[in-house]
Amino acid sequence: MEYPRNIELSTHAFERVQERFPDYGKNKKMATDYIRSILKNSEYIGVVPDQDGKDSHMYVFNHSIAVHISYEMEAITTIYRIEVDTVKRNKQIGFRSKVEELYKKEFRKIHRTESSKRKQMKYSKAKNEAEIAALRYKQLVTRSENVREACAKRIVELQNEILIKENEIKDMQVLKRSVAYAIATASY
């Protein structure tokens, strides 16, 4: 995937360039030019969620430097070195290309599954939140203590259902991130 030519550098990314690549981080223009030159020769990995769950496009340069671009392709969000075991990587395995294809196929499969779960979660969460609101209203207007307790119990069940689905998505994101880093570093 081609990166946009007029992409800007976020404040966070500029700070990371200054911290991790001090020779190229003297000013923002120099840092932007450095990252653009890296992006020209980088391999696109895919859409990878960060630690906070925000999606970004991940590029990797020479299996050692990762560059993340915002999902909307507006700004470079961060850059960092990827720790690579060079001894492990330099061992030539005859079927490495097949293993790499398996990793890439698994990455695409995880991405589709995660997207599907996110979409399902959006509708399920809206439905559950609407039901929770109705139950809270019912709790306020009823005089029966048993109805209040039943409503409270159902609210807890619905909130737990939302939480379980959110945790499933977070687990998928962690798996997706680990597969993306394995592809980026060629450590398979």
Side-chain angles (χ1 to χ4, degrees):
M1 180 174 179
E2 190 73 18
Y3 76 97
R5 302 279 183 223
N6 58 352
I7 195 156
E8 293 298 319
L9 195 63
S10 71
T11 307
H12 174 79
F14 179 57
E15 290 170 358
R16 296 298 79 84
V17 171
Q18 288 179 320
E19 173 186 320
R20 298 171 181 148
F21 306 96
D23 295 340
Y24 303 104
K26 292 184 171 79
N27 60 44
K28 199 164 187 173
K29 183 181 179 347
M30 190 176 181
T32 304
D33 291 342
Y34 172 66
I35 294 177
R36 284 182 183 161
S37 70
I38 285 176
L39 283 172
K40 286 179 188 173
N41 301 314
S42 294
E43 176 187 359
Y44 178 71
I45 300 299
V47 177
V48 179
D50 63 8
Q51 302 293 343
D52 300 327
K54 285 185 173 178
D55 285 339
S56 64
H57 296 277
M58 180 179 178
Y59 291 83
V60 66
F61 174 73
N62 200 22
H63 298 294
S64 61
I65 298 175
V67 178
H68 286 264
I69 299 177
S70 66
Y71 188 73
E72 297 80 21
M73 301 294 270
E74 295 171 348
I76 299 164
T77 55
T78 192
I79 180 171
Y80 54 89
R81 291 189 196 281
I82 301 174
E83 299 300 320
V84 180
D85 185 1
T86 54
V87 174
K88 189 184 218 183
R89 188 170 48 143
N90 290 336
K91 273 188 183 173
Q92 288 301 323
I93 300 172
F95 53 88
R96 183 176 293 274
S97 61
K98 291 180 183 177
V99 174
E100 182 179 2
E101 287 304 314
L102 277 172
Y103 267 79
K104 287 181 179 180
K105 184 187 279 185
E106 190 64 25
F107 181 79
R108 289 188 301 268
K109 190 167 95 177
I110 292 169
H111 178 70
R112 285 191 306 270
T113 305
E114 179 201 8
S115 297
S116 172
K117 283 187 182 278
R118 278 187 184 187
K119 194 174 189 178
Q120 289 173 357
M121 174 63 186
K122 189 187 304 182
Y123 296 117
S124 171
K125 186 175 183 178
K127 182 180 126 277
N128 285 356
E129 286 176 346
E131 189 175 342
I132 288 171
L135 288 168
R136 287 195 173 133
Y137 177 74
K138 190 175 182 178
Q139 271 183 321
L140 288 174
V141 297
T142 189
R143 290 189 275 174
S144 170
E145 192 60 38
N146 290 339
V147 172
R148 282 193 195 113
E149 288 176 14
C151 288
K153 186 186 258 187
R154 180 68 181 145
I155 288 171
V156 169
E157 288 173 6
L158 291 170
Q159 288 172 336
N160 285 339
E161 187 179 312
I162 291 171
L163 191 62
I164 288 169
K165 289 185 180 189
E166 286 175 346
N167 287 337
E168 285 177 3
I169 291 172
K170 286 180 184 175
D171 291 343
M172 291 292 292
Q173 289 176 338
V174 168
L175 179 62
K176 185 177 180 183
R177 217 175 6 259
S178 65
V179 171
Y181 290 141
I183 292 170
T185 60
S187 57
Y188 30 75

